[in-house]
Amino acid sequence: MKVLLVEDDPLHAAFLRDAVDHALPEALQVLLADNGRDGEVMARQGMDCVVMDLQMRDRNGIDAARTIWTERPDTRILFWSNYADEAYLRGLARIVPHGSPYGYVLKTAPVHRLHLALRAVLAEGQVLVDREIHRIQQRQTSVTRGLSDSEYQVLLDLAVGLPDRLIALRRNMSERTVQNRLLQLYDKLGVETAEAAINKRVRAVTRALASGALNIEALRAAETDLHLWLGSRR
């Protein structure tokens, strides 16, 4: 077994290395990349198991994992992060190949839980998501009450500044359907639609950021997708 650690904090990287040595004695080679871009390059050297931080300089963990899985869909990836925002979890759900083993464990989890996750995902090929993340998701969905995929797409389009007409065109909806999705968003995000002085669209994005339904990585990805879509229409 070859294991690649992708982590930009030296102390966390050293901690991870010790955890791998303890949990995976069968690991014949353990390499370290200190950013997502180098992680992509090193994964091409036959690294079948990866432990990936999510937020790093140069290239974040979701983008790096997307590239690795596109090239090597059988790669087993355990995400190890401080973040459990709904936006990160949605981002991961969009990129995991069908049937690929992966896991998600928080850096605040006890070391024995990290050891368990390392063995479950990298050695045994299981899917494992830390139970603390499930608790955080439940707290978040008490605010957002579970945005559907369609509502989430409209929220992203709202965040990048598209008007109803272009949201309808992009998502193949009628403008009336877009307006209904907006009303559902306002309700789930707790935006007071009766308050005329409030810009409801801006308030919805603010509430989504505060609740973790959106984060900076999701907005960056939405910007990239928007430019690709606008380019395809020229």
Side-chain angles (χ1 to χ4, degrees):
M1 176 191 295
K2 298 179 180 179
V3 180
L4 173 63
L5 310 179
V6 188
E7 168 62 64
D8 62 353
D9 184 290
L11 291 178
H12 285 167
F15 179 82
L16 264 186
R17 177 60 191 261
D18 288 344
V20 168
D21 289 343
H22 182 278
L24 300 170
E26 61 268 56
L28 301 176
Q29 185 178 23
V30 181
L31 299 180
L32 172 66
D34 64 3
N35 63 76
R37 199 170 301 281
D38 287 348
E40 293 174 6
V41 174
M42 295 174 69
R44 298 186 182 106
Q45 301 173 17
M47 309 304 292
D48 45 8
C49 298
V50 178
V51 183
M52 179 82 73
D53 191 11
L54 276 182
Q55 192 170 50
M56 296 174 286
R57 62 182 184 276
D58 295 339
R59 191 160 178 82
N60 67 62
I62 290 179
D63 288 342
R66 180 190 292 112
T67 299
I68 291 169
W69 270 326
T70 298
E71 298 176 357
R72 300 171 61 86
D74 293 333
T75 304
R76 300 175 178 185
I77 300 181
L78 174 63
F79 296 94
W80 187 58
S81 175
N82 284 318
Y83 301 94
D85 295 350
E86 182 183 347
Y88 278 121
L89 300 176
R90 282 182 182 269
L92 290 180
R94 289 196 300 270
I95 67 172
V96 178
H98 179 70
S100 292
Y102 79 99
Y104 196 144
V105 64
L106 291 175
K107 290 184 178 181
T108 54
V111 65
H112 73 270
R113 201 176 298 169
L114 174 60
H115 293 165
L116 172 66
L118 287 166
R119 285 220 60 82
V121 177
L122 304 187
E124 300 168 10
Q126 300 179 24
V127 174
L128 186 148
V129 177
D130 196 305
R131 63 175 178 265
E132 179 62 21
I133 292 173
H134 287 301
R135 284 197 287 267
I136 291 171
Q137 283 181 294
Q138 289 172 351
R139 289 199 297 269
Q140 290 172 340
T141 54
S142 69
V143 178
T144 62
R145 301 214 306 274
L147 299 182
S148 69
D149 288 342
S150 178
E151 290 164 354
Y152 192 72
Q153 288 176 340
V154 171
L155 175 62
L156 289 174
D157 288 345
L158 202 69
V160 296
L162 291 182
D164 292 359
R165 179 181 59 82
L166 287 183
I167 296 175
L169 179 62
R170 186 181 188 189
R171 302 302 177 184
N172 195 27
M173 300 175 180
S174 68
E175 287 193 49
R176 176 61 63 85
T177 299
V178 170
Q179 290 160 4
N180 287 336
R181 293 288 186 278
L182 288 172
L183 290 175
Q184 292 161 355
L185 277 173
Y186 298 153
D187 178 53
K188 291 182 177 182
L189 292 170
V191 176
E192 296 294 336
T193 55
E195 180 54 67
I198 292 177
N199 185 315
K200 294 183 287 294
R201 301 170 83 91
V202 173
R203 182 64 175 155
V205 173
T206 302
R207 290 282 295 169
L209 287 167
S211 70
L214 287 180
N215 62 18
I216 189 62
E217 303 297 345
L219 292 177
R220 285 172 179 160
E223 280 288 333
T224 299
D225 291 344
L226 175 65
H227 289 304
L228 291 173
W229 179 71
L230 292 174
S232 70
R233 297 183 63 240
R234 294 190 183 120

